[in-house]
């Protein structure tokens, strides 16, 4: 058994959240080459490797969302039967709601030096944090699939119109495969390559959307309104709320991933800048969202939005759509797949980051083909975004409350216990699980699903309680906050988890952390020992 080592320098500073510094002292280190394969997994990023700024966090959020996957979500308010201006209001509302919940998720990475799933060990326990890993997998499969689907369909539509190539399942499979493989290759290289792709997507897709003003100036009609009979859920408010929630799923989907990128930001970056990065990064996504709203009115009633849009576009714009759809597919696909491959390499230590990324990419690609062949695309997207909203939002609420009551204090070394094949430490709680956070999340997610209405897959028994209005998000958020705060008050956490300044707004109890020891029976420990032996 190995004794608890001396605190890491990062740990001692992170446990003193009031050591605020001026903006001028935030130093961003030189970047490595974009073709240099990233070596870091979910281990704590050393200060010397902190190569990103808060502007990179803004850029990667906008780049990851400034794609046709976001455009597709933007078409849903029109597909559900809203008028153009009703759809605009629902879209803006959805982005703002999702962004409010997302903003605190950018605070963890710089302090902990790891991704949000591992950071959540502070509130769920070093084993209970697998909840975050599950949520990142759910989100990655959904948005990786959407990005490849939509970008692939754009390329197929362009090939059909410009090259006269007949549309077929074989052609779509080939195109999906090419995009899927390239996404995996980019993710294997790692963060710097992904950041370059996102920078390119920001520029290319923004230009494309601005050119749409010229391309569709003669066909777009802002007075589009199918009338009350067009409401998919029978009434205005039920349809409006459903549309806003689908839009909100986009910013909420970033919750499990912000730490993947923020962990490369210097830990003394002011929180206001991290919050601003997410706020403005998500507000900029209104550009692709509103592009989807506007163009959906042009091809309303068509079963395949992207193919129909290419058919309705001038030739010169159809060509641009094909090129930018390809770049956009890489952007969204990489931001989705990167974090999940990163995290699952820690959940299953026998796999490296590269191996986990390839494995999950293959599984996601098989899901794409299965979904395209056997299921309705829009129905599958609707169900997945519903599941993301109801399960991820209460997890984010618990994380945000935990950050507040802990005063932003963390022990980065102790967060890595599970990943290193060890037991004990500050966040060991009960056999590696903090049941306060876990029970609160399970209860909130279960209650939210009871009120959810995301046909044809997710239809809760209490969907009519709100008169047809989807109450799942409100129920999940309130339940998560009440259950978690209630658990913290009724069953106080030990004083040592709160850092030097103690808890904020909740009680604590006396206690001492269990010493960190090697768990010789764990896979992580065996893998670590094997790597040490190989190096020797």
């Amino acid at each position: 058994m190995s004794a608890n080592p001396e605190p890491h320098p990062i740990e001692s500073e992170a446990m003193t959240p009031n050591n605020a510094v001026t903006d001028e002292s935030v130093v961003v280190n030189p970047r490595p080459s974009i073709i240099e394969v990233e070596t870091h997994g979910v281990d704590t990023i050393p200060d010397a490797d902190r190569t990103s700024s808060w502007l990179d966090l803004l850029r990667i959020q906008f780049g990851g969302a400034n794609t046709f996957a976001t455009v597709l979500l933007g078409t849903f308010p029109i597909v559900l039967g809203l008028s153009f201006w009703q759809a605009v209001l629902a879209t803006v509302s959805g982005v703002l709601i999702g962004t409010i919940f997302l903003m605190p998720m950018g605070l963890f990475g710089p302090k902990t030096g790891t991704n949000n799933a591992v950071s959540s060990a502070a509130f769920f326990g070093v084993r209970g944090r697998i909840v975050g890993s599950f949520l990142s997998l759910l989100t990655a499969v959904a948005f990786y699939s959407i990005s490849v689907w939509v970008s692939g369909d754009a390329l197929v539509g362009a090939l059909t119109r410009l090259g006269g190539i007949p549309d077929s399942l074989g052609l779509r499979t080939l195109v999906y495969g090419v995009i899927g493989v390239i996404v995996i290759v980019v993710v294997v290289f790692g963060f710097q390559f992904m950041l370059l792709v996102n920078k390119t997507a920001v520029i290319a897709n923004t230009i494309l959307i601005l050119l749409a003003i010229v391309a569709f100036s003669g066909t777009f009609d802002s007075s589009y309104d199918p009338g009350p009979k067009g409401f998919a859920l029978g009434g205005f408010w039920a349809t409006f709320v459903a549309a806003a929630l689908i839009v909100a799923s986009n910013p909420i989907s970033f919750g499990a991933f912000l730490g993947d990128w923020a962990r490369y930001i210097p830990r003394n970056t002011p929180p206001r800048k991290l919050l601003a990065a997410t706020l403005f990064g998500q507000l900029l996504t209104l550009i692709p969202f509103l592009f989807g709203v506007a163009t959906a009115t042009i091809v309303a009633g068509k079963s395949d939005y992207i193919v129909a849009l290419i058919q309705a576009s001038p030739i010169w714009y159809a060509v641009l759509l094909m090129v930018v759809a390809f770049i956009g597919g890489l952007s969204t696909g990489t931001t989705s797949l990167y974090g999940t491959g990163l995290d699952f390499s820690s959940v299953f230590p026998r796999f490296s980051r590269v191996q986990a990324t390839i494995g999950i990419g293959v599984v996601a690609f098989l899901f794409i083909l299965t979904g395209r062949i056997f299921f309705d695309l829009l129905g599958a997207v609707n169900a997945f975004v519903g599941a993301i909203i109801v399960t991820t939002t209460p997890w984010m609420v618990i994380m945000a409350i935990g950050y507040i009551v802990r005063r932003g204090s963390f022990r980065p070394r102790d967060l890595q216990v599970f990943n290193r094949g060890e037991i004990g430490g500050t966040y060991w709680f009960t056999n590696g699980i903090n049941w306060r956070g876990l029970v609160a999340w399970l209860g909130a997610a279960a209650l939210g699903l009871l009120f959810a209405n995301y046909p044809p897959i997710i239809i809760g028994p209490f969907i009519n309680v709100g008169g047809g209005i989807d109450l799942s998000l409100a129920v999940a958020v309130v339940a998560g906050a009440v259950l978690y705060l209630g658990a913290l008050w009724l069953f106080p956490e030990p004083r040592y988890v709160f850092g030097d300044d103690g808890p904020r707004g909740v009680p604590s109890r006396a206690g001492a952390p269990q010493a960190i020891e090697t768990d010789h029976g764990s896979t992580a420990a065996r893998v670590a020992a094997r790597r040490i032996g190989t190096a020797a």
Side-chain angles (χ1 to χ4, degrees), residues 283-294:
L283 288 179
L284 285 171
T285 67
L286 285 171
I287 296 173
F289 266 121
L290 295 179
F291 175 86
V293 171

Side-chain angles (χ1 to χ4, degrees), residues 22 38 71 94 152 211 239 313 340 344 370 418 466 513 516 530:
T22 61
E38 182 182 9
V71 169
L211 288 174
T239 305
S313 302
T340 304
F344 268 74
T370 303
F418 177 83
I516 296 178
R530 187 163 57 247

Side-chain angles (χ1 to χ4, degrees), residues 125-449:
V126 292
R127 288 176 173 166
R129 66 90 172 170
I130 292 178
V131 167
S133 303
F134 162 75
L135 295 175
S136 69
L137 177 62
L138 177 69
T139 304
V141 171
F143 281 84
Y144 175 80
S145 300
I146 292 172
S147 65
V148 175
W149 258 327
V150 177
S151 298
D153 286 354
L155 290 175
V156 168
L159 291 172
T160 299
R161 180 176 179 185
L162 303 177
I165 301 174
D167 189 355
S168 66
L169 179 60
L171 176 62
R172 294 198 181 217
T173 301
L174 176 62
V175 172
Y176 295 156
V178 170
I179 296 176
V181 168
I182 295 176
V183 167
I184 293 175
V185 170
V186 172
V187 174
V188 164
F189 276 100
F191 179 75
Q192 296 300 330
F193 203 162
M194 183 179 68
L195 189 60
L196 174 64
V197 170
N198 277 267
K199 289 178 180 179
T200 304
V202 166
I203 298 171
N205 279 12
T206 302
I207 292 174
L208 174 78
I209 291 171
L210 292 176
L211 288 174
I213 299 174
V214 178
F216 300 115
S217 60
T219 55
F220 169 68
D221 183 5
S222 62
S223 64
Y224 170 84
D225 186 357
K229 293 183 179 180
F231 296 140
L233 300 183
F236 168 73
W237 283 111
T239 305
F240 182 90
V241 171
L245 288 179
I246 290 174
V247 172
S249 71
N250 195 66
I252 288 174
S253 72
F254 281 85
F257 298 127
L258 284 194
D260 301 339
W261 318 314
R263 77 194 207 281
Y264 278 102
I265 297 174
R267 54 189 162 78
N268 54 3
T269 301
R272 69 177 185 277
K273 289 191 173 184
L274 299 171
L275 294 172
T278 297
L279 173 62
F280 293 113
Q282 293 299 324
L283 288 179
L284 285 171
T285 67
L286 285 171
I287 296 173
F289 266 121
L290 295 179
F291 175 86
V293 171
T295 53
T297 65
I298 298 173
V299 296
K302 303 293 184 180
S303 59
D304 197 328
Y305 160 76
I306 190 65
V307 173
L309 181 63
I310 289 177
Q311 296 296 327
S313 302
I315 290 293
W316 63 270
Y317 197 71
V319 173
L320 291 177
L321 281 174
M322 179 176 65
V323 175
V324 178
F326 176 75
I327 297 174
L330 298 185
S331 181
T332 299
T334 54
T335 53
S336 299
L337 192 59
Y338 172 79
T340 304
L342 179 72
D343 190 54
F344 268 74
S345 64
S346 68
V347 176
F348 301 102
R350 69 183 63 189
F351 300 112
S352 66
R353 181 189 69 84
V354 172
Q355 291 171 329
T357 296
I358 294 174
I360 293 173
V362 170
V363 171
F365 181 71
L366 293 176
F367 173 80
I368 292 170
L369 294 183
T370 303
R372 195 57 164 139
I373 295 172
F374 298 106
F375 298 99
D376 171 62
L377 173 59
L378 295 181
V381 170
N382 191 35
F384 259 97
V385 298
I388 289 169
I389 288 174
V390 177
T391 58
T392 302
T393 310
W395 179 80
M396 294 163 62
V397 168
I398 291 169
M399 290 275 285
I401 293 174
Y403 186 95
I404 293 171
V405 301
R406 303 278 183 87
R407 301 180 187 271
S409 297
F410 301 92
R411 294 187 182 274
R413 168 65 179 84
D414 290 29
L415 291 172
Q416 299 288 342
V417 163
F418 177 83
N419 309 330
R420 297 163 66 114
E422 298 168 333
I423 60 176
T426 304
Y427 308 118
W428 184 246
F429 297 102
T430 304
N431 200 30
I433 295 176
N434 185 352
W435 61 266
R436 300 166 188 81
L438 190 60
V439 170
W441 174 77
L442 286 171
L447 287 171
L449 288 172

